[in-house]
Amino acid sequence: MKIKDTEIISLMQDPRTQEKGVRALMDAYQSRLYWHIRRIIVDGDLAQDTLQETFIKAYQNFHQFKNDSQLYTWLYRIATNEALQQVNKLKKMQKTDEDPEYHMQNLIADNTDGDAEEIQILLQNAIQSLPEKQKLVFMMRYYDDLPYEEISKIVDMSVGTLKTNYHYAKQKIEEYIKENYER
């Protein structure tokens, strides 16, 4: 039986049942959050570490959850921020002479089956080449199928701006694939 958000919130707010609440929170959301993080970070081990950091932050800051959004929206925002921090750390650690596109292609190839289609690799490379805001908006709409209103709460942008970012992201991805697809 799937536990409801109201039950999780109730468990988390009571110090006597907080540990049970954390377990319920993780059971309910770890898979969805992992795949969201994984699309941003790509590396499975780092995504798992980031997921753990997300739950630690959620536990430590649960008192800040105001119940004015869905629990998943609040967790999604934490996960997004944690993943972006990891990406920024990785960018700082990368050597300047390393080709990021080559590095990304190797990460994708290492984390997919050997039969991965060229188009999937191109899609991932295209997404990774997008500016950060367009990348986030595209992934939330394309992979998670979130409505613009939810995304607006997560990234603190207007719906109109989100739609524009998504439109430009789609255009750039299509152009990237057309330019790089070899038949």
Side-chain angles (χ1 to χ4, degrees), residues 94 97-110 121 125 128 176:
Q94 276 184 345
D97 61 338
E98 184 178 304
D99 179 26
E101 213 168 288
Y102 174 77
H103 177 68
M104 185 56 60
Q105 193 161 353
N106 283 342
L107 276 176
I108 291 166
D110 289 346
I121 292 172
N125 284 338
Q128 294 305 320
Y176 184 96

Side-chain angles (χ1 to χ4, degrees), residues 13-179:
Q13 290 173 335
D14 185 346
R16 296 171 295 173
T17 59
Q18 198 169 34
E19 189 175 315
K20 185 178 179 183
V22 170
R23 283 196 303 272
L25 185 76
M26 291 174 72
D27 288 344
Y29 293 109
Q30 76 180 11
S31 180
R32 286 173 70 190
L33 290 173
Y34 171 79
W35 288 108
H36 167 64
I37 293 167
R38 179 76 187 263
R39 284 188 289 273
I40 296 171
I41 294 180
V42 180
D43 179 81
D45 292 334
L46 189 54
Q48 190 64 44
D49 292 345
T50 304
L51 176 66
Q52 295 307 315
E53 283 299 315
T54 298
F55 284 120
I56 289 168
K57 287 265 169 72
Y59 170 76
Q60 291 172 339
N61 297 297
F62 198 80
H63 62 280
Q64 293 178 348
F65 177 68
K66 303 291 185 224
N67 233 353
D68 58 353
S69 66
Q70 292 181 4
L71 185 56
Y72 181 68
T73 302
W74 184 72
L75 290 168
Y76 203 92
R77 178 177 264 182
I78 295 170
T80 300
N81 289 337
E82 287 298 308
L84 290 175
Q85 284 178 2
Q86 287 297 333
V87 168
N88 288 334
K89 285 180 191 176
L90 287 174
K91 283 180 183 175
K92 288 178 185 175
M93 290 181 353
Q94 276 184 345
K95 297 175 185 166
T96 54
D97 61 338
E98 184 178 304
D99 179 26
E101 213 168 288
Y102 174 77
H103 177 68
M104 185 56 60
Q105 193 161 353
N106 283 342
L107 276 176
I108 291 166
D110 289 346
N111 289 297
T112 58
D113 295 329
D115 299 348
E117 295 181 11
E118 180 183 358
I119 201 80
Q120 182 62 30
I121 292 172
L122 283 172
L123 173 63
Q124 293 303 318
N125 284 338
I127 292 169
Q128 294 305 320
S129 72
L130 293 172
E132 214 58 52
K133 285 183 182 179
Q134 288 178 10
K135 184 189 318 182
L136 272 177
V137 172
F138 181 82
M139 289 189 302
M140 288 183 209
R141 280 291 293 170
Y142 182 78
Y143 288 114
D144 296 326
D145 199 27
L146 289 176
Y148 286 112
E149 293 73 20
E150 280 294 305
I151 299 171
S152 176
K153 292 175 186 174
I154 293 166
V155 297
D156 199 26
M157 261 190 247
S158 74
V159 171
T161 302
L162 292 172
K163 288 180 178 180
T164 301
N165 274 296
Y166 185 74
H167 175 74
Y168 284 129
K170 276 183 22 182
Q171 277 184 329
K172 288 177 184 177
I173 288 170
E174 286 172 10
E175 288 171 16
Y176 184 96
I177 291 172
K178 285 177 186 173
E179 289 174 11

